[in-house]
Amino acid sequence: MSLPESTAPWWKSAVVYQVYPRSFADSDGDGIGDLRGIESKLDYLAELGVDVLWLSPVYPSPQDDNGYDISDYRGIEPVFGTLDDFDRLLAGVHERGMKLVMDLVVNHTSDEHPWFVESRSSKDNPKRDWYWWRPPRGGVPAGAPGAEPTNWTSFFTGPTWELDEATGEYYLHLFSRKQPDLNWENPEVRAAVHEMMRWWLDRGVDGFRMDVINMISKDTALPDGPGGDGSAHYLHGPRLHEFLQEMHREVFADRAGATMTVGEMPGVTVEEARLLTDPARAEVDMVFQFEHVQLDHGPSKWDLTGLDLRDLKATLGRWQAGLADVGWNSLYWNNHDQPRVVSRFGDDGRYRVESAKALATVLHLHRGTPFIYQGEELGMTNHPFTSAAQFRDIESVNHHALAGDAALPGLRAMSRDNARTPMQWDASPNAGFTTGTPWLPVNPNHTEVNAAAARAETDSVFHHYRALIALRHSEPTVVHGNFTMLLPDDPNVYAFSRSYRDTELLVLANFTSEEQRPDLGFPWWDAHLMLGSHSNGASVLRPWEARVYRR
Ligand code: NOJ
């Protein structure tokens, strides 16, 4: 029998690094990051040791949602550069033995995409049916409150329907009104998307991260939802598996093994993920699930509640167990939509370095493919926003417009702009991000928290990430080992083991600012310490200390 490690797809032992191009590195001084800026940092990423870069969208876009509103699927937004710059970047990635994954945003386009411009031009335009057009609700005059075809609320507040005055019909937009939803029921839409995907793969890209891809199949009856929540009718719709299998056949099947796909799927359950990531069904390689990043939400993401470590362990443990025999997990704390994890689940004050390392250790020792979001490897923190005027993100701006200054504490903690402040390269005035004025202010702590300082200091968060990535590459147990959660009821310590053949790894992390003495029923501290955040302290875990033992 062959060992899993000899037949496993390459992305099971890979670590992915997400670049948010707008905020990574600016080569031309306009205050906005760009492709040449990314190219200039490839040696840094190679030094970190990551295998794959995922680029958030770089396509032409009116930037209503920072590029998640695409007006041309086959080009590069001028502010980021040109297709030639892209090809150079891709070559530079491949030269260094890394791969590059594009963001694929095909639940919706921009309202400035030629497809939508045609679609809205008249009711009998051949592309009319490429989007979701509906007349006003029976008996209610167009434009009057309640005339929207459903009662659904959009992710960015307000109704999901926008009236087009010229034709008197509404179009559906689950996100902003500048992001109309494509109608995947129409086979021409699907064929056009597949063709575009093949075009990028032929150009050399290695896969896709698929934006809200579990929203592409909707209940065509478009029923109302309770309290305006339409999600039951557009999440994981009736034809989702069919559409993904078709996409796999049309785009990936004849490139077997070379590509990687990860589908972003808000609301996805373990049971659905087993189907979606079962290799035998040929849909996607991994999904991004959201359960662990909603544990600290109240009724909405803006209502702050703390995190109970037991809930985090129960959730991630359930995903580990659920995808143990079939499918594969993605692992993440951060991305461009989430606040910084060290501020959220760690301690961004006294124990910033320690807690960033503890969080990293726990995540990277789980079974699955870890995703690092730019700056996470430096322990970058949330931004100290003080006023509503500082937010740029459409979600934050719209939320504030509705809720007023009472929303400020929630925005400060949860705004997506926390993730989007410029990458902190050095201690200079704009953190080495730009020579111009950054589009979003640099975090004042860049004088201390920055890549130059972290690279120079041997026990920095950066070097801890390097060690974790190297461990994944050298130790098959990290990739393939079975996962067993330990101490599920301990509110303070995250503990688990991984076992593969005759090796067992034991992972312990103190999630508090006090010393902890976890009782595993045996003298665990006698084992061989492979990797730790502190020098050996025997049976006492110091505040936010993390250790990996080999037995
Ligand atoms: C999910 C993306 O991650 C987010 O940034 C975006 O606003 C929505 N999808 C809409 O594309």
Side-chain angles (χ1 to χ4, degrees), residues 235-315:
L235 290 182
H236 203 83
R239 299 183 72 188
L240 177 63
H241 294 294
E242 177 198 333
F243 290 161
L244 292 176
Q245 287 170 8
E246 178 188 55
M247 178 191 280
H248 194 279
R249 254 192 336 270
E250 294 294 323
V251 179
F252 300 107
D254 60 354
R255 307 172 200 253
T259 57
M260 181 195 112
T261 58
V262 51
E264 188 207 24
M265 302 207 185
V268 68
T269 63
V270 176
E271 292 67 34
E272 288 157 359
R274 283 175 63 87
L275 298 174
L276 291 155
T277 66
D278 177 353
R281 294 170 53 90
E283 298 187 16
V284 290
D285 296 326
M286 292 168 257
V287 303
F288 285 135
Q289 59 86 16
F290 280 70
E291 292 182 4
H292 69 302
V293 290
Q294 289 172 341
L295 294 172
D296 59 348
H297 292 183
S300 85
K301 77 179 244 181
W302 311 110
D303 303 301
L304 305 174
T305 68
L307 174 75
D308 185 325
L309 182 64
R310 290 167 291 200
D311 295 338
L312 184 64
K313 293 192 282 191
T315 298

Side-chain angles (χ1 to χ4, degrees), residues 65 68 105 108 156 175 179 209 211-212 264 336-337 416 420:
D65 186 18
Y68 283 88
V105 189
H108 43 268
F156 296 152
F175 294 88
Q179 293 168 297
R209 172 270 186 189
D211 192 69
V212 293
E264 188 207 24
H336 63 292
D337 295 330
R416 306 195 297 183
R420 301 174 181 187

Side-chain angles (χ1 to χ4, degrees), residues 18 20 54 56-57 65-69 103 105-108 155-156 174-176 179 209-212 215 264 266 290 335-337 393-395 416 420:
Q18 182 189 355
Y20 195 67
W54 148 27
S56 275
D65 186 18
N66 288 2
Y68 283 88
D69 48 319
D103 221 303
V105 189
V106 289
N107 173 68
H108 43 268
F155 287 98
F156 296 152
L174 295 181
F175 294 88
S176 97
Q179 293 168 297
R209 172 270 186 189
M210 302 175 177
D211 192 69
V212 293
M215 301 187 190
E264 188 207 24
F290 280 70
N335 58 42
H336 63 292
D337 295 330
D393 175 28
I394 180 169
E395 184 194 47
R416 306 195 297 183
R420 301 174 181 187

